[in-house]
Amino acid sequence: MAFQIKSYEEYKEVYARSVAEPEAFWDDIAANFYWRKKWNKTLQWNFKQPDVKWFINGKLNITENCIDRHLALLGDQPAIIWEPNSKDEPHKVITYNELHLQVTRFAQVLRNNGIQKGDRICIYMGMIPELAVAMLACARIGAIHSVIFGGFSANSIADRLQDAQAAHIITCDGAYRGAKDIPLKNIIDDALVSCPFVKKVIVYQRTHTPVSMIKGRDEWWHDELQKVDDETAGTTPAQEMDAEDPLFILYTSGSTGKPKGVVHSSAGYMVYATYSFVNVFQYQPGEIHFCTADIGWITGHSYIVYGVLCAGGTSLMYEGIPTFPDAGRLWDIVEKHKVNILYTAPTAIRSLMAYGTPPIAGKDLSSLRVLGTVGEPINEEAWHWYDEHIGKKRCPIVDTWFQTENGGILISNMAGVTPAKPSYATLPLPGIQPALMDEQGNEITGNSVSGNLCIKFPWPSILRTTYGDHERCRLNYFATYHNMYFTGDGCYRDENGFYRITGRVDDVLNVSGHRIGTAEVENAINMQEGVLESAVVGYHHDIKGQGIYAYVILEKEPEDAPLMQACILQTVNRIIGPIARPDKIQFVKGLPKTRSGKIMRRILRKIAEGDMANIGDTSTLLDPAVVEDIKTGKI
Ligand code: WT7
């Protein structure tokens, strides 16, 4: 059976086989990788505990699959092409041979610093090639990396460090993002005030920002490299990993206050990230794949680093933002590096759309073959703009749906192979068995129906646990529906069986493709002096997809309301980070609560949307008058 599906007919056959005999199907797919020792049982699972294991007793190291096995044939091919933030700085090309050298050397640095298999390492860096090198070096020695996105605050980092008990950190002095310099090391230093267990911080020098370097704890990346003997580094073998050994932890938001550490396995993750990459994008050898996500999210893990490199592809990595120095930057990059696949978020498309077509004029986009979107539902208007102005109507658009917990794309069309439909993720990949469920826990069969999206059968890169708290994993994903993985998304299945994701059905927001829990934002707001209580909901935002609307009750009438709003924003910045800042803050006297004290968010959402006519029945509220009051004060 071929690794890459080539036609719609073949997709249907392969899909049918993946459901009829999933183990034999995944045995065939997994045989395309390099194993130190083959697995002796393909799958063991139950969704009750949950307990899912794939490729049992198989032994491997993912970096031998991402790098070593390509060296003989692809050693001189670019593995990573890096485009810096500033147009004046030269780009870098890192071949597979060079990547091998850098990863083995840095793996030696990690070993020299006492890091061992199973240790957790936090990575907080900008989008530079060394970030990929750091991840791969961790994987090389079996250390579990936890990459934290640069938009999170010191307090968020401290929470994650404590939860993972990560005693080692890899960071940069600073990061360039657009016109801003982000002082990463300073932010880490603030986080470490409450993390005395951290033993080492390795700092890559990128911005030459002044930083404090504490003797005995903080080390420069370049100094540590000096201590490495190239000969030993190159010949030190990669750590042999069990198929089920954790590869990484990635924190994500849920409907409760505290982010959870999603744990991914070594083998299952590798197999699925690579399989989905090759099939969804229909990757062809030699092509340049440009994913604009930050590596701090699952999209970057799977489709900038692991999936692309495992497939022997060339990954283009960009340090900056799409609008720097102007809104034509992505198109300049496509032209400069002859990008073949461009994979970005609807929010980026909408923000670029707002500049019209002048930034595209005169840019040669003829190298593009496939376009992709991810992270949030794409509206039809943005889909058509992307199709017409970027793809010039000759590039298939893949709308890829997945989640941090999934490791790789679960529902998407395959470029040029299966049909596309604007605003639809369309069909499940082989091995993925979706189900739509009603509120009573029954499966809704047939077509032209809506329900809560679940997955009935395990796939290789399903999360294994939430770090340090397996019960939380069970409750969050496996307890809502019997014997199913619950995604938290609502979904419609059309007359042809194509899936359209309609958005979260839980208290999770998706702001510019970033996932944020309403409870997290409320907790942060409530920490501000003078705040009594708050309720946060999402509302439609033309560019961000969703905006954050906060209703806040203060202890007393504020003397200076705008100042109080600004103070609340500062607190949210401190507690979570800039990505969670509310777009609107309305001071209210009360919140609509039921007699049992539950906040009626449905009402708050309607008001935030300005949909006053459809607020519905308020007679069951403890105090119906608060609704009128809130309506009057709407921003
Ligand atoms: C949530 C997962 C997976 C990549 C980055 C986000 C939403 C993701 C789509 C899509 C509609 C989408 C869902 C999902 N989502 N992709 N193509 N169409 N919605 O990962 O932070 O774990 O968020 O993003 O609501 O549950 P994440």
Side-chain angles (χ1 to χ4, degrees), residues 5-6 29 146 247 280 291 355 385 394 444 505 513 606 610:
I5 294 168
K6 288 283 176 205
I29 297 301
S146 168
L247 175 64
V280 168
C291 168
Y355 293 88
W385 188 86
R394 36 162 213 90
I444 307 165
V505 294
K606 290 282 178 205

Side-chain angles (χ1 to χ4, degrees), residues 7 87 103 161 166 207 242 293 314 316 325 349 364 409 441 572 587:
S7 70
K87 279 186 159 180
V103 169
L161 288 171
T207 56
D242 185 80
T314 298
L316 191 141
I349 299 169
D364 180 4
I409 299 163
V572 175
F587 295 128

